[in-house]
Amino acid sequence: QSALTQPPSASGSPGQSVTISCTGTSSDVGGYNYVSWYQQHPGKAPKLIIYEVRKRPSGVPDRFSGSKSGNTASLTVSGVQAEDEADYYCSSYVGSYKYVFGTGTKVTVL
Amino acid sequence: EVQLVESGGGLVQPGGSLRLSCAASGFTFSSDWMNWVRQAPGKGLEWVANINQDGSETYYVDSVRGRFTISRDNAKNSLYLQMNSLRAEDTAVYYCARGLRWSDYWGQGTLVTLSS
């Protein structure tokens, strides 16, 4: 199972929107509504910010939103803030009780 | 409060073995799937293995199948990863994480370093 494809980097000024794509295949992203997104600050453990494509865990700001079209999922940070500067990883269930992560995107707040 | 605390990492020679542990608290451990996820230095996340609630089902990424064994002791609220025939490419921070189709809680990780 190959890693999902994400852009290496994305950036935006405070208050702007930043969108990250996550491209897979019909065997992963396109085949299941089990796409999740994780935020990881340097030296820290990943934190779940989106699950089941668009659901937010309690405590995650509503400026984070997820969507999916075909084999590509997206994470949008609306009104990016300085504390959103981090690495972001998508993940998809791929069946047979397994899952795969994306290649990761470093978000820089300018 | 949910807590996952990994231990057991360290420096090991290629071909060697290591057993990682993850102590869980703050939730009903026996009710959840558990995972090991690793991250090589400066690299992305890689799902390694998972185990169902009673330990009867285990699944692995192809690169570790036959070398790594995931297990759990629900009486001790603990998750384990036995790693044998270790290779240089197994160098990584190993995280335990809760959940099947997504992971809502993660430990802080334990570093495994392969070096001769």
Side-chain angles (χ1 to χ4, degrees):
Chain A
Q1 183 67 48
S2 299
L4 307 175
T5 301
Q6 297 180 233
S9 62
S11 63
S13 299
Q16 290 186 331
S17 290
V18 174
T19 297
I20 304 166
S21 61
C22 170
T23 302
T25 69
S26 57
S27 296
D28 39 61
V29 173
Y32 304 93
N33 285 324
Y34 292 121
V35 175
S36 51
W37 289 89
Y38 300 87
Q39 177 191 63
Q40 186 180 35
H41 287 106
K44 300 295 187 180
K47 173 189 175 183
L48 178 69
I49 56 172
I50 295 287
Y51 66 100
E52 288 187 304
V53 177
R54 61 183 73 249
K55 296 179 180 179
R56 279 190 316 276
S58 174
V60 173
D62 61 6
R63 64 178 180 272
F64 292 94
S65 62
S67 63
K68 189 183 86 165
S69 178
N71 297 335
T72 298
S74 298
L75 173 72
T76 297
V77 187
S78 303
V80 69
Q81 299 183 8
E83 60 262 37
D84 300 332
E85 186 161 292
D87 294 326
Y88 291 82
Y89 295 90
C90 63
S91 178
S92 174
Y93 183 67
V94 298
S96 301
Y97 304 98
K98 301 178 181 180
Y99 60 104
V100 66
F101 285 96
T103 50
T105 299
K106 181 176 181 60
V107 169
T108 301
V109 181
L110 302 172
Chain B
E1 179 192 7
V2 172
Q3 284 197 319
L4 298 170
V5 180
E6 302 93 337
S7 60
L11 182 65
V12 60
Q13 291 186 336
S17 298
L18 208 57
R19 188 195 196 206
L20 306 184
S21 299
C22 172
S25 62
F27 67 103
T28 305
F29 180 72
S30 59
S31 295
D32 286 299
W33 281 75
M34 296 296 297
N35 304 271
W36 287 100
V37 177
R38 67 184 178 183
Q39 186 170 35
K43 302 297 184 181
L45 300 171
E46 180 183 37
W47 173 80
V48 173
N50 63 8
I51 187 168
N52 72 339
Q53 290 88 339
D54 66 4
S56 61
E57 297 182 49
T58 58
Y59 301 91
Y60 301 90
V61 69
D62 288 347
S63 59
V64 309
R65 187 177 296 112
R67 301 188 298 123
F68 290 11
T69 301
I70 187 172
S71 63
R72 66 192 297 162
D73 185 337
N74 287 342
K76 295 183 178 180
N77 287 344
S78 293
L79 176 72
Y80 306 102
L81 186 66
Q82 176 67 44
M83 304 185 296
N84 298 330
S85 302
L86 283 161
R87 306 168 179 167
E89 57 265 33
D90 296 320
T91 293
V93 173
Y94 285 74
Y95 296 100
C96 68
R98 184 182 83 165
L100 175 55
R101 295 179 180 87
W102 60 87
S103 291
D104 57 355
Y105 288 97
W106 298 63
Q108 84 290 347
T110 187
L111 176 62
V112 173
T113 303
L114 275 291
S115 177
S116 55

